[in-house]
Amino acid sequence: MDNNGLTRQRVKRLTTLTCTLLLLLSSCGDKDDDISITPSEGANTNAGESELPATSERLTDLAPVAAAFQQAAQSAMAETVALCRQLEVGVQSFLNDPNEETQANAQQRFIECHQRWTASALYFTEPFNLNEAKGLKRTLDLIDTRPFLPGYIDGIPLYPYSGLVHELELAITEDTLLGQHRLMDEESASLGFPVVEFFLWKTPLADFWQTKTDEDAQTLVNRRLSYLKIANAHLSKQLDKAQARWSDSGEFSELPDRAKFNVLVKTLQRFTMVKLLNHTFAETSLEEPEWIHPAQFAGNGRAYLLKQVDEISRLLGTEAEPSVFSQWLTKETSIEITGKNLQAAVAKVQASLAELPESFPFESETNEQWLAARQAVAAMALEFTKLSQNLNLTVVTQ
């Protein structure tokens, strides 16, 4: 096929996807709308495959953009790990002396650590290559897997004797808990942030954490204490592993500058389209909020959302102080999308998210605030999707 034919095909794919998103933008006032966007015709949805578009020769000065992206990831993960070290300290204080003060302190440190990780997770959207894809998925699954059924690990009000804590023949060790992770189904997580969160919010203390005179009851307390200690230590190891992924000696540093640039652009497109639009703002976010909320026991889902979008903004900067990436877009005349386009779209999302209820999607309805936020997210996703299409990169929508 000649170059004109290829160009016509790319324009057709971009037009189709753009029209679909514009349809969503114009009709998202209808609560019955369901977001279902088909990937571009002929697009390869294998996230790990290297893509070198035919337009690659016209793109120059990619090294500073790639370096800034890596530095942003390193900074985000350094802050995450530092805050999660404080969580380790808080959890250990609680384990040493389970009381209201140590529990409240550990809970606050959990919130700070988890919210920072939720923002940093942006940098783990796209695998660097095919070989890394499977291991990356496993690491992320062990850090923060959703959906999560708390009854799988310990008793809940309707099933007080359920969960791994009550399976006395099962030793509480890291190996056994790893073996139990998602053993029954995708909702049966035994490790990660949801597990640590569940235990830290488990009350009353006298029933579940404090010393008992009854031997059988004390056995359950001991198992619970051991479980929380192991789960938190394992979480810290996984976060260290995630941090090492972005080190100067890691695989990202070995990629060509164009491949690094591709990771950046595809990260932004896929995170905004899949994570935010097709997941957080899907209709099910209101019908089954417990599967969508990032911290169903800690609450305050709005803060988690804002931190995620703030991290996107970090990669773009502002009109007054543009990032290296935004400056590059402005100078690269062959790219139709400008840094100002992206900055404006992200700013609208930030403003709309600030209007949501504090614990979105809990206690939320299909109201004006939700619809406005959903529309703003769709508009932002459209901008990043058009950028990916303009660069002839694979677009993933589901």
Side-chain angles (χ1 to χ4, degrees):
M1 184 179 294
D2 60 22
N3 289 336
N4 288 334
L6 287 171
T7 301
R8 286 194 296 271
Q9 275 200 352
R10 287 198 292 269
V11 170
K12 180 180 178 182
R13 290 199 298 267
L14 175 57
T15 301
T16 301
L17 183 64
T18 301
C19 288
T20 306
L21 270 171
L22 288 173
L23 179 63
L24 170 63
L25 289 170
S26 64
S27 63
C28 66
D30 185 352
K31 62 177 286 186
D32 294 326
D33 288 345
D34 186 27
I35 303 169
S36 181
I37 302 173
T38 305
S40 302
E41 180 182 358
N44 182 354
T45 57
N46 190 331
E49 184 162 323
S50 175
E51 297 169 282
L52 292 175
T55 57
S56 62
E57 69 275 7
R58 74 187 185 189
L59 302 182
T60 59
D61 301 324
L62 295 178
V65 180
F69 180 46
Q70 184 173 15
Q71 289 165 7
Q74 290 174 338
S75 177
M77 279 309 301
E79 187 177 345
T80 298
V81 169
L83 287 172
C84 293
R85 290 283 183 266
Q86 294 302 309
L87 172 60
E88 284 188 83
V89 174
V91 167
Q92 190 57 55
S93 296
F94 174 68
L95 294 173
N96 292 340
D97 183 13
N99 60 59
E100 291 182 0
E101 182 179 353
T102 57
Q103 184 182 41
N105 178 59
Q107 289 174 344
Q108 181 58 38
R109 295 187 182 196
F110 174 88
I111 290 170
E112 294 168 357
C113 164
H114 189 212
Q115 287 186 355
R116 183 59 256 181
W117 161 253
T118 302
S120 299
L122 168 70
Y123 300 103
F124 299 88
T125 303
E126 176 70 17
F128 300 153
N129 52 54
L130 283 171
N131 291 333
E132 192 214 21
K134 185 176 181 180
L136 176 62
K137 181 178 180 181
R138 176 63 172 171
T139 298
L140 297 177
D141 183 63
L142 289 170
I143 290 175
D144 199 2
T145 181
R146 311 284 170 169
F148 168 67
L149 287 178
Y152 180 66
I153 64 171
D154 199 359
I156 54 178
L158 292 178
Y159 303 96
Y161 305 109
S162 65
L164 302 178
V165 166
H166 294 268
E167 294 185 15
L168 301 182
E169 70 282 0
L170 181 74
I172 302 295
T173 67
E174 182 178 292
D175 287 342
T176 56
L177 294 179
L178 276 169
Q180 296 296 317
H181 190 66
R182 291 186 184 267
L183 180 63
M184 305 298 294
D185 51 48
E186 67 173 6
E187 300 164 1
S188 57
S190 60
L191 290 165
F193 273 114
V195 173
V196 176
E197 178 193 6
F198 170 76
F199 278 132
L200 289 180
W201 268 262
K202 193 169 183 63
T203 56
L205 294 172
D207 290 351
F208 300 113
W209 298 104
Q210 294 174 349
T211 303
K212 304 286 188 252
T213 55
D214 179 82
E215 184 177 348
D216 292 338
Q218 184 61 44
T219 296
L220 293 176
V221 169
N222 292 341
R223 287 174 64 82
R224 206 168 279 120
L225 292 168
S226 295
Y227 199 144
L228 175 54
K229 181 178 182 179
I230 292 169
N232 197 60
H234 181 266
L235 175 61
S236 294
K237 288 195 296 185
Q238 297 306 307
L239 291 170
D240 287 341
K241 185 177 179 181
Q243 182 182 28
R245 177 179 187 256
W246 283 101
S247 70
D248 291 337
S249 59
E251 288 190 59
F252 185 81
S253 296
E254 298 175 0
L255 297 175
D257 288 336
R258 181 55 207 251
K260 294 176 182 178
F261 178 82
N262 288 352
V263 173
L264 164 59
V265 176
K266 291 196 287 183
T267 289
L268 291 168
Q269 190 274 317
R270 295 172 186 193
F271 191 84
T272 55
M273 176 65 75
V274 180
K275 171 61 179 175
L276 295 181
L277 184 59
N278 281 2
H279 175 72
T280 303
F281 281 93
E283 291 293 341
T284 53
S285 68
L286 303 183
E287 297 166 2
E288 298 180 321
E290 66 274 13
W291 296 136
I292 306 298
H293 201 293
Q296 57 179 301
F297 298 101
N300 202 355
R302 181 181 64 193
Y304 283 83
L305 265 177
L306 282 168
K307 287 186 180 297
Q308 288 179 323
V309 179
D310 286 348
E311 197 62 42
I312 296 173
S313 179
R314 181 180 185 175
L315 293 175
L316 300 173
T318 63
E319 186 172 347
E321 297 183 9
S323 68
V324 174
F325 179 44
S326 293
Q327 290 175 324
W328 180 89
L329 282 172
T330 300
K331 291 187 298 183
E332 184 56 63
T333 57
S334 61
I335 307 297
E336 297 173 5
I337 306 300
T338 68
K340 290 182 180 180
N341 295 146
L342 301 179
Q343 290 162 355
V346 173
K348 287 182 180 179
V349 172
Q350 291 171 311
S352 65
L353 294 182
E355 298 298 319
L356 291 173
E358 183 178 282
S359 199
F360 174 85
F362 287 145
E363 302 176 2
S364 299
E365 299 176 356
T366 310
N367 51 27
E368 291 183 5
Q369 289 83 3
W370 186 85
L371 293 171
R374 188 179 189 227
Q375 186 173 20
V377 170
M380 177 177 65
L382 174 60
E383 291 299 312
F384 286 117
T385 296
K386 289 194 295 185
L387 175 61
S388 292
Q389 286 277 12
N390 195 236
L391 293 165
N392 199 27
L393 294 176
T394 298
V395 170
V396 174
T397 59
Q398 297 198 53

